[in-house]
Amino acid sequence: MEDILAKQLNPQFREEVAELLKGYDFANCLACGMCSVGCPYADLVENHNPRIFLRKVLLGMKEEVYADPYIWYCNMCELCTIECPMNVNVSALVRALRGTWDKDKIPGYLQTIVKEHIASGNQMNVSQEDYEDTLEWIEEELQVELGDANYKIPLNKKGAKYFYGFNARDIKYYPNELQTTLKLFYVAGIDYTISTKRWDATNAALFTGQTDDFLAISMPLWQEVAALECEELIVTECGHAFRSMKWGQRTYWSGKPFPIRHIIELLNELVKEDKIKLDPEAITEVVTYHDPCNTARKEGVYAAPRELLKSFVKNFVDMNPNGRMNYCCGAGGGGMAMPEYNEVRKAKGRRKVEQVVATGAEIVIVPCHNCMDQFNDLNKWYPEKARSQNMHICDLIEKALIIPKKSVNKPVFCINRRAGTPLH
């Protein structure tokens, strides 16, 4: 280990970081090492030790801190903070330091996603014409599937109870995912709306730490919820979208507050109220559930998914650890958008694969788009171990969904002008 020379330390750096971290006291560190013990990857990946990184900051080793790959290796999952006896939030520290980075030097294509989101209103840079065309296509598909020629997606409905915010990937790559969700909404008969103005709840600036970009992306969506006078914002199966909306509103929104819930919380409520009926015999496979860090550890949503799954899944087996203590899949903190760190992401993923294999699960519920991409990559990287089918919870619910017959509606048949081809 190299000597640390006092003359090379920057005594002002600690104060600079403290100014960035208003509301977070990182100086309580006892150097006990519990953060490194709690980090699932400190022993798997070189330069992935939160204790060492934090000591560099506290000692004023500014050059070493900014040269340390830990800033971008860290998944900001907050498991280290759970273990810390002084509740030092390393994730907040990492995000704050990332926020001082030159935007043109941010790794991967994170900043490209941010720029496109600000310019187009969504992270996939989908044009307004393509967005509305895809909604129209989904609407036509559902008219046929539901046997309801009068079915319409409720767009820009003022005063709706629920405003649904989702992921732009559901428009560009996976319209079938959005179709499934809207099918569940239809069966439940809920009062909701989708905006044609602002609809993408994701925000990659959550990972870059650039506050100006974060607000440029999320503020218009909060404003749209307020403008449509909706009672509640429901966020799709996307951990960082949910975190961006919830944490961002708590931190930056000065308008009239409105509740924000994860779609799983809503679906669990609808099942308990018998508005969605599920066949308890439909799912015979062994099922386990992955807790996205932004959903479970950071925002406390881990009981509702299990209550929902256990209500209709015959063979549910939890990972160990799970819930608030579950391991990050290895793709958090923007990891999916930094391909230069793919080997690091792969190494971290092995621990998640071992978790899944230990459950004997045939289906893994992965309620997050970033996590889903990571799980699918793990199936390719570790084919000898990772063989489970990865699904969103809405897709699993659809397999068990009991659709009540509606005598007033007769099945309709129409020719889909786009032949069911999703937008790419």
Side-chain angles (χ1 to χ4, degrees), residues 130-143 153 170-171 174-179 416-423:
D130 284 343
Y131 172 58
E132 294 186 15
D133 193 35
T134 302
L135 288 181
E136 183 180 347
W137 170 76
I138 292 173
E139 185 174 85
E140 292 174 355
E141 290 289 309
L142 283 171
Q143 286 173 353
I153 298 175
D170 285 349
I171 290 294
Y174 312 116
N176 58 302
E177 298 280 352
L178 180 57
Q179 182 175 328
N416 186 351
R417 57 189 169 79
R418 292 174 56 167
T421 303
L423 171 65

Side-chain angles (χ1 to χ4, degrees), residues 34 51 73 86 90 121 126 143 169 184 188 204-205 254 296 298 300 306 310 323-324 326 330 391 396 415 418 422:
M34 284 303 295
R51 174 185 170 277
Y73 283 2
M86 301 305 291
V90 179
V126 176
Q143 286 173 353
R169 280 186 252 188
L184 298 180
S254 59
K298 295 185 180 182
R306 288 167 172 81
K310 290 176 182 179
R324 188 165 175 259
N326 197 21
M391 299 178 66
L396 189 70
I415 297 174
R418 292 174 56 167

Side-chain angles (χ1 to χ4, degrees), residues 64-112:
E64 287 83 354
V65 165
Y66 280 105
D68 195 327
Y70 181 84
I71 289 183
W72 299 103
Y73 283 2
C74 177
N75 294 121
M76 300 159 63
C77 79
E78 294 192 9
L79 189 53
C80 58
T81 300
I82 295 285
E83 299 289 356
C84 177
M86 301 305 291
N87 201 36
V88 175
N89 194 317
V90 179
S91 171
L93 170 64
V94 167
R95 186 177 187 275
L97 290 171
R98 288 183 179 188
T100 65
W101 219 261
D102 185 330
K103 293 183 182 181
D104 292 333
K105 296 180 180 179
I106 291 173
Y109 47 87
L110 275 170
Q111 195 59 29
T112 299

